[in-house]
Amino acid sequence: MNAPLPLRVARGADANAYDRVAHATQSELAGRLAQRLASETKGEVLFSAADRGRYATDASIYQVMPVGVFVPRTSDEARAALDICRDLKVPVVARGAGTSQCGQTVGAGLVIDFSKHVRALLEFDSANATAVVEPGIVLDHLNAQLKKSGLWYPVDVSTSAQATLGGMAGNNSCGSRSIAYGNMVHNVLAIEAWTSDGAHHRFESYERCAGGAREIGRRVKDLASLLAPEIDRRWPKVMRRVGGYNLDIFRNQSERPYTGDGGVNLAHLLVGSEGTLALTKNLTLALAPLARAKVLGVVNFPTFYKAMDTAQHIVALGAEDRSLTAVELVDRTMIELALRNPAFESTVRASLIGRPDALLLVEFSGDDRRSLARKLQQLEELMGDRGLPGSVVHLVDDASQKNLWEVRKAGLNIMMSLRGDGKPVSFIEDCAVPLQHLAEYTDALTQVFRRHGTRGTWYAHASVGTLHVRPILDMRKDGARKMRAIAEEASALVRKYKGAYSGEHGDGLCRGEWIAWQFGPKITQAFAEIKKLFDPEGLLAPQRIVEPPRMDDTRLMRFAPSYRVIPLAPALDWSEWDVQNDPATERTTPPGTGGDAAQGFAKAVEMCNNNGHCRKFDAGTMCPSFRVTRDERHVTRGRANTLRLALSGQLGPDGLASDAVREALDLCVSCKGCKRDCPTGVDMARMKVEFLHHDRRKNGFTLRDRLIGQLPAYAATASRFAWLLNLRNRSRLVARMTQALTGLAASRSLPAWRRQHFFNRPLRSATRDEVFAAEKPAVLFVDTFNGFFESETAWAAFRVLRAAGYTVHVAAKDDETSGHLCCGRTYLATGMVEKARARASGLVNALHPFARRGIAIVGLEPSCLLTLRDEALALGLGSNAQEVAKHALLFEEFLAREAAAGRLAPLQARLAPVGAPVLVHGHCHQKAFGAVSPVLDVLKLIPGLQPQLVESSCCGMAGAFGYEASHVEVSMAMAQLSLFPALRAQRGAIVVADGTSCRHQIRDGLGREAVHAAVLLAGQLKGG
């Protein structure tokens, strides 16, 4: 799809790999490793500074540069890489989605990424409710395949859309419903794996194990017998304990035994081992029946302490019939941050009663929704008995429950959306204490935070005594010192309340040194012996669990003392990110006061906390190019990491204009999906504009850039030669010649020029004075695309608005003259920011007199109209732009608003029924700004019509992206993900797509005409 960078060996042998890698990395060992991987496997061999940098971080505070990265195509290639690393004595770090919060998936050796290819469901046995999977399979993908059978894998971690089963097993993940289903260790039946000597083993029930696995088990059993008194005395007696190795499989200490029959399963030695003992080939999982019904009670508490104190009593409600499946906390900080996120605001607001300090999400599951409703009534009664009558919001329908659980799942990232250098830091996050001590523990820990001038943000699993808490620290300044001090005091509290220091998120670089504190010297030495049994050469994830580093070693941190941002004068206004915050109050300083050498751009990039929410494949928008390539460099996180590395000089002196950044952003389609879906608000589309500005300023504009960017400037002149320019679409020879000249794909038809178009055809538009005086005024903003290429859309919109009784003024450059206004979108898309600023300024000046009087500005093309609500506000156009943005509405947004106010009766009376089903494809920018539902609402004005939304990501055309020869393959692959299959399934349906590029993609890919909603409405008008 794209030419690889010099240090990306995509397939097969490469005779020059040694020379290139050794020279670039100044490492003979790296060269030899790359050479052997390239010649002995067909996997992807990634040794560039950018690739290694993207894999140097996970969702933790740490950054450790690997020697290289290997992406195997099969599990056997992973074993081959292990053999090569053993020969060369290079450590191996196994990695799935890279969402670890303690640094488990970073290291100085070869990172092996299983998530791209090694992700199959190998076997499924519905009768015995088991599945065999490869380690790179994502939990949600597995459960989607299992759903029809009525089964699922129930360790439902919040990162289920991206977490891989191998990573979950390595971490001994738990999930929101562990009170009902247990942890990973309770749900893994067998693991096939390679030890570092290359030997293959099957770890399963001790009684069935044979060969080397049986011998390892016997020696671990001897250790457990020898240390029995120490295990009884030192081992935490809570279910949420994931620190160290599971030596207690031979002497159970958990309140929930690891096996149902009380036996020993040697696979459980590998669960929670964080890749330090073996390299996983596959896992055999125990599945569970899907609950037929669920209900959710959202309990609103006036104080955080009251919520914590009540958790133990709520848990008792489900003890008898095991109907309780989750009790999850959402604290005030998370509530406030979620309310600021457009994706979550309405869902959270519907769950609030007044202004609570905390919420507990209480879920009951079973076979009968009516009986579960009685459990909600019992919850109401319990809260009344405890002095909180009327504090429970009942959610009984599946959609509302799902929406609220999505907010809870995004809790980690929502908390990380705090702007400024102070961030909630994970290091004592998942200490677990017995439930009866939860309130006292959280209260005492809050006092610890106060003594150190900070506060914590809380969320997670109140049902099992594991509350994730992250004190806000500035890791660029004194964060490491405060982290150490808080950890010391927190550990004393954990010991006081007989809890576990590592309750869910594992050890890694962050909590490894606390293993000795938790278990004492004898058990810690036993852990070292277990490590030696499996990995005598210390090849697998060294310095994890055994001989770990200090948690506050700043040399291992993402923002090490040497971290510096290269000074940069940005083209866009990023000042709202250039702030500092007060850890105790979370108040931020005014924009532009944060001390960012890049004037806020670097801090905006650094909002990415690497949690990997963008690595998802569901029906949302983010991230379409990653869905096609599954390549870390093409996911929002990978791009943000690349930008951060470049801005801090870690990719060389070229900074933002480096080749590595250009390569990472090449497939970004500026869909704005991340703006909406990323809980920390990373807006890669806007960041790409900034990059393009700096890149083109250094390297110059191509002919293609000029043709696309300056389209609004020459469109009127070009339309006069429509017959000549349209020869390109009729002649293959001309198409091939223009591809060679411009890079625009010969296989694509380009938008057809029209000699007669909206801007030169007389139209009886109301004057400015007439619209000012009108009872029902509207201003129609006709963009370049719908004006010159698809004029029927603009004419249709004008007719519909007039039919609805509106006095319509078509926005023009001058008071009474016909003219073409432009938002500057094409200029932004090619990095011509100054020209975009000039165009947008002209548009704002023309529209402001109407906005000042509260008159709606109605647009047709989502990418153009929404530019007024987005990028135009970052171009420094002042308060006028802000006022215009408040009154800028898409055609359907305007009509939906007017319909809700009862002002569309004249239009509705004139609409005739449609004789076919209607499918609606939302433009990416409509999705990003929550503007898809108005399309459905407006189409329902047509009698009897029930439009169906196509659940799709980006169509793949994305403005000019899909027209470029270098992008055609990726563009069509995006469309094939979901859009094209959905449209093929209903060949007789009318397709509504508001985006010009979306309509062209559908025409090119399926030979099918899609229409703007305005065209469909106009076609149904009775009486002309």
Side-chain angles (χ1 to χ4, degrees):
M1 295 177 182
N2 272 29
L5 283 179
L7 299 184
R8 271 185 161 246
V9 185
R11 291 182 179 87
D14 185 340
N16 299 315
Y18 170 79
D19 291 336
R20 292 188 288 107
V21 172
H23 175 75
T25 62
Q26 297 296 297
S27 169
E28 179 185 356
L29 180 61
R32 291 169 62 198
L33 177 60
Q35 175 68 48
R36 287 198 59 184
L37 289 169
S39 61
E40 297 176 31
T41 77
K42 294 183 179 180
E44 297 172 45
V45 183
L46 314 178
F47 277 71
S48 75
D51 280 313
R52 291 185 295 118
R54 285 187 282 264
Y55 282 87
T57 53
D58 51 16
S60 70
I61 59 175
Y62 299 101
Q63 175 174 306
V64 181
M65 198 63 68
V67 174
V69 179
F70 178 62
V71 184
R73 294 183 177 275
T74 65
S75 59
D76 284 341
E77 286 195 336
R79 182 202 53 77
L82 176 64
D83 292 342
I84 294 168
C85 286
R86 183 176 61 253
D87 291 348
L88 298 177
K89 301 191 183 310
V90 175
V92 170
V93 178
R95 180 171 169 126
T99 61
S100 303
Q101 295 172 29
C102 298
Q104 291 98 319
T105 58
V106 299
L110 179 72
V111 172
I112 301 180
D113 180 356
F114 287 82
S115 67
K116 187 171 184 178
H117 300 294
V118 189
R119 51 184 176 86
L121 169 59
L122 299 173
E123 298 175 24
F124 170 53
D125 184 342
S126 60
N128 292 304
T130 63
V132 181
V133 300
E134 290 186 314
I137 192 170
V138 171
L139 175 59
D140 276 359
H141 302 175
L142 171 63
N143 280 333
Q145 294 181 67
L146 297 174
K147 189 173 182 179
K148 288 183 179 179
S149 69
L151 298 169
W152 73 313
Y153 191 66
V155 186
D156 59 333
V157 294
S158 62
T159 53
S160 61
Q162 56 267 21
T164 63
L165 268 298
M168 290 171 60
N171 194 61
N172 193 7
S173 297
C174 305
S176 299
R177 296 176 175 88
S178 63
I179 189 174
Y181 299 104
N183 307 347
M184 280 295 295
V185 73
H186 301 101
N187 294 278
V188 172
L189 301 176
I191 295 177
E192 287 189 48
W194 295 282
T195 45
S196 61
D197 60 0
H200 173 265
H201 304 278
R202 179 176 173 84
F203 297 94
E204 55 182 334
S205 167
Y206 183 44
E207 299 304 320
R208 290 198 296 271
C209 274
R214 175 79 178 190
E215 177 60 19
I216 289 172
R218 184 191 65 76
R219 296 177 67 177
V220 174
K221 181 180 181 182
D222 290 345
L223 278 174
S225 298
L226 183 65
L227 293 170
E230 194 74 3
I231 292 173
D232 292 342
R233 184 169 69 89
R234 302 292 300 245
W235 214 271
K237 307 300 189 285
V238 292
M239 183 175 72
R240 290 300 190 94
R241 191 282 311 159
V242 301
Y245 297 129
N246 294 323
L247 179 59
D248 67 326
I249 61 172
F250 288 101
R251 192 174 185 84
N252 177 66
Q253 302 295 310
S254 174
E255 57 189 4
R256 183 184 185 120
Y258 296 146
T259 61
D261 61 3
V264 174
N265 191 318
L266 294 184
H268 297 163
L269 279 175
L270 299 185
V271 176
S273 66
E274 301 184 357
T276 62
L277 300 183
L279 201 63
T280 300
K281 181 178 183 180
N282 60 60
L283 307 97
T284 302
L285 309 174
L287 308 178
L290 280 165
R292 295 183 181 177
K294 295 176 184 176
V295 296
L296 189 62
V298 185
V299 189
N300 288 246
F301 288 91
T303 67
F304 181 83
Y305 186 92
K306 184 74 171 176
M308 296 301 90
D309 189 47
T310 307
Q312 58 188 310
H313 304 289
I314 292 175
V315 168
L317 281 179
E320 185 175 339
D321 59 5
R322 297 184 178 274
S323 59
L324 183 75
T325 46
V327 183
E328 296 289 292
L329 168 73
V330 178
D331 82 340
R332 185 70 215 170
T333 298
M334 186 169 154
I335 292 170
E336 293 291 350
L337 291 171
L339 288 172
R340 298 177 202 167
N341 188 304
F344 304 132
E345 188 267 343
S346 60
T347 296
V348 174
R349 199 169 296 283
S351 301
L352 303 181
I353 299 173
R355 194 174 186 276
D357 199 47
L359 304 175
L360 287 182
L361 279 53
V362 183
E363 181 186 81
F364 298 97
S365 301
D367 294 330
D368 178 28
R369 199 178 297 274
R370 283 180 296 179
S371 64
L372 295 177
R374 289 195 291 271
K375 302 299 293 188
L376 287 183
Q377 186 57 42
Q378 292 176 23
L379 180 62
E380 284 269 18
E381 293 168 0
L382 171 66
M383 299 316 300
D385 293 343
R386 299 194 61 78
L388 293 174
S391 61
V392 182
V393 175
H394 293 217
L395 300 180
V396 295
D397 64 288
D398 293 337
S400 60
Q401 293 180 59
K402 180 179 182 295
N403 290 339
L404 192 57
W405 278 118
E406 288 301 316
V407 177
R408 161 59 193 90
K409 281 188 170 188
L412 167 64
N413 280 337
I414 290 174
M415 291 193 306
M416 297 302 291
S417 65
L418 182 66
R419 293 183 182 178
D421 290 345
K423 301 289 186 188
V425 178
S426 172
F427 63 99
I428 56 166
E429 170 160 359
D430 58 341
C431 300
V433 298
L435 201 55
Q436 64 269 28
H437 300 311
L438 193 57
E440 290 86 354
Y441 168 72
T442 55
D443 188 57
L445 195 53
T446 297
Q447 301 307 317
V448 171
F449 298 154
R450 286 176 182 164
R451 285 196 294 275
H452 292 281
T454 187
R455 61 180 292 186
T457 55
W458 301 84
Y459 75 106
H461 318 299
S463 59
V464 287
T466 302
L467 282 181
H468 300 325
V469 57
R470 294 189 169 204
I472 300 169
L473 302 175
D474 184 350
M475 299 309 294
R476 302 169 195 254
K477 295 179 181 176
D478 58 354
R481 178 182 59 80
K482 286 188 176 182
M483 181 172 74
R484 164 67 59 183
I486 292 172
E488 297 282 358
E489 293 193 53
S491 64
L493 292 173
V494 172
R495 178 157 289 166
K496 175 182 177 181
Y497 293 115
K498 296 180 169 45
Y501 194 77
S502 184
E504 180 175 7
H505 291 160
D507 298 318
L509 295 170
C510 188
R511 279 190 284 270
E513 67 167 296
W514 295 91
I515 290 173
W517 169 91
Q518 178 85 75
F519 295 99
K522 293 181 180 179
I523 294 177
T524 300
Q525 179 57 39
F527 290 161
E529 293 181 38
I530 291 173
K531 167 72 171 174
K532 196 167 185 178
L533 277 175
F534 281 86
D535 180 23
E537 295 185 29
L539 191 70
L540 301 173
Q543 290 193 297
R544 304 294 191 278
I545 299 180
V546 174
E547 298 181 353
R550 284 175 60 88
M551 67 184 299
D552 54 341
D553 186 342
T554 57
R555 295 171 299 177
L556 302 175
M557 293 186 179
R558 193 183 311 176
F559 298 111
S562 60
Y563 185 87
R564 295 289 185 276
V565 171
I566 299 172
L568 176 78
L572 302 176
D573 180 6
W574 300 91
S575 61
E576 62 182 299
W577 283 270
D578 190 13
V579 298
Q580 290 297 351
N581 53 41
D582 184 327
T585 65
E586 298 180 21
R587 293 193 185 98
T588 57
T589 61
T593 62
D596 183 358
Q599 300 179 36
F601 182 56
K603 288 189 186 298
V605 168
E606 291 160 5
M607 289 298 294
C608 175
N609 75 320
N610 271 355
N611 189 260
H613 188 71
C614 42
R615 290 174 59 97
K616 63 179 190 175
F617 292 80
D618 63 15
T621 305
M622 184 173 67
C623 176
S625 48
F626 175 71
R627 295 183 188 199
V628 171
T629 67
R630 292 180 177 266
D631 194 323
E632 180 69 21
R633 64 180 160 158
H634 293 143
V635 72
T636 305
R637 176 180 74 178
R639 293 180 178 125
N641 267 325
T642 307
L643 286 169
R644 177 181 57 81
L645 292 163
L647 287 166
S648 56
Q650 297 181 67
L651 298 182
D654 289 337
L656 200 58
S658 69
D659 291 342
V661 177
R662 187 180 310 109
E663 186 263 350
L665 289 178
D666 179 53
L667 297 189
C668 172
V669 295
S670 299
C671 67
K672 288 286 182 182
C674 47
K675 179 181 175 67
R676 178 174 176 84
D677 288 357
C678 174
T680 62
V682 172
D683 186 349
M684 193 53 61
R686 185 183 290 191
M687 291 174 182
K688 184 173 183 179
V689 171
E690 189 69 55
F691 154 72
L692 287 169
H693 167 79
H694 293 275
D695 180 72
R696 299 306 193 260
R697 189 171 63 177
K698 176 186 175 184
N699 299 309
F701 294 97
T702 65
L703 175 59
R704 183 174 65 230
D705 290 334
R706 297 183 189 281
L707 286 172
I708 294 167
Q710 297 181 11
L711 173 65
Y714 66 77
T717 301
S719 66
R720 299 173 191 168
F721 304 95
W723 65 273
L724 178 63
L725 296 175
N726 289 336
L727 285 175
R728 185 265 177 207
N729 284 350
R730 296 194 292 269
S731 168
R732 291 184 180 181
L733 176 62
V734 175
R736 287 196 293 268
M737 290 171 60
T738 56
Q739 175 175 321
L741 186 65
T742 67
L744 297 175
S747 60
R748 287 283 198 188
S749 65
L750 297 181
W753 290 95
R754 304 165 70 148
R755 183 169 178 80
Q756 273 210 329
H757 50 77
F758 184 87
F759 295 121
N760 64 12
R761 176 176 170 176
L763 184 69
R764 297 182 62 183
S765 167
T767 67
R768 179 182 296 199
D769 289 339
E770 287 172 340
V771 84
F772 285 159
E775 181 182 349
K776 293 175 67 176
V779 174
L780 182 62
F781 162 46
V782 180
D783 57 274
T784 302
F785 307 104
N786 287 301
F788 286 103
F789 298 103
E790 296 188 78
S791 299
E792 59 275 7
T793 300
W795 288 322
F798 187 82
R799 285 184 60 209
V800 171
L801 292 172
R802 289 283 297 272
Y806 291 90
T807 300
V808 184
H809 171 75
V810 176
K813 287 183 178 179
D814 301 312
D815 190 12
E816 296 295 331
T817 63
S818 175
H820 170 219
L821 290 168
C822 170
C823 67
R825 164 60 58 186
T826 59
Y827 296 99
L828 290 170
T830 51
M832 302 177 184
V833 177
E834 292 306 319
K835 291 182 181 295
R837 184 176 288 113
R839 284 283 182 164
S841 178
L843 179 60
V844 166
N845 291 338
L847 296 178
H848 183 251
F850 305 102
R852 190 173 60 221
R853 289 168 172 79
I855 299 173
I857 296 147
V858 181
L860 302 171
E861 174 60 33
S863 61
C864 292
L865 185 282
L866 293 172
T867 295
L868 288 171
R869 300 201 328 226
D870 192 358
E871 287 90 354
L873 303 181
L875 289 172
L877 302 181
S879 60
N880 285 4
Q882 297 281 350
E883 195 161 11
V884 168
K886 291 177 184 176
H887 296 281
L889 298 168
L890 286 169
F891 175 76
E892 295 89 349
E893 289 182 306
F894 173 71
L895 291 182
R897 186 190 75 177
E898 298 299 282
R903 291 192 283 264
L904 287 191
L907 175 64
Q908 207 161 359
R910 291 188 56 186
L911 291 173
V914 175
V918 172
L919 300 178
V920 176
H921 165 67
H923 186 282
C924 288
H925 291 192
Q926 285 177 304
K927 296 172 187 174
F929 286 84
V932 175
S933 58
V935 182
L936 302 175
D937 294 340
V938 168
L939 292 178
K940 288 175 184 176
L941 295 175
I942 297 173
L945 183 61
Q946 291 297 319
Q948 178 185 343
L949 181 65
V950 176
E951 291 291 348
S952 60
S953 180
C954 180
C955 74
M957 187 63 85
F961 177 87
Y963 291 110
E964 297 173 17
S966 59
H967 295 150
V968 167
E969 184 182 351
V970 173
S971 170
M972 296 305 291
M974 290 180 188
Q976 296 291 356
L977 286 173
S978 52
L979 175 59
F980 282 3
L983 298 187
R984 289 192 190 99
Q986 297 193 51
R987 296 184 182 276
I990 297 169
V991 180
V992 170
D994 281 356
T996 299
S997 58
C998 303
R999 295 192 291 273
H1000 287 196
Q1001 179 79 320
I1002 292 167
R1003 184 185 304 128
D1004 261 14
L1006 296 179
R1008 190 165 168 181
E1009 294 296 326
V1011 297
H1012 193 285
V1015 173
L1016 179 59
L1017 288 169
Q1020 303 311 115
L1021 285 174
K1022 294 179 288 188

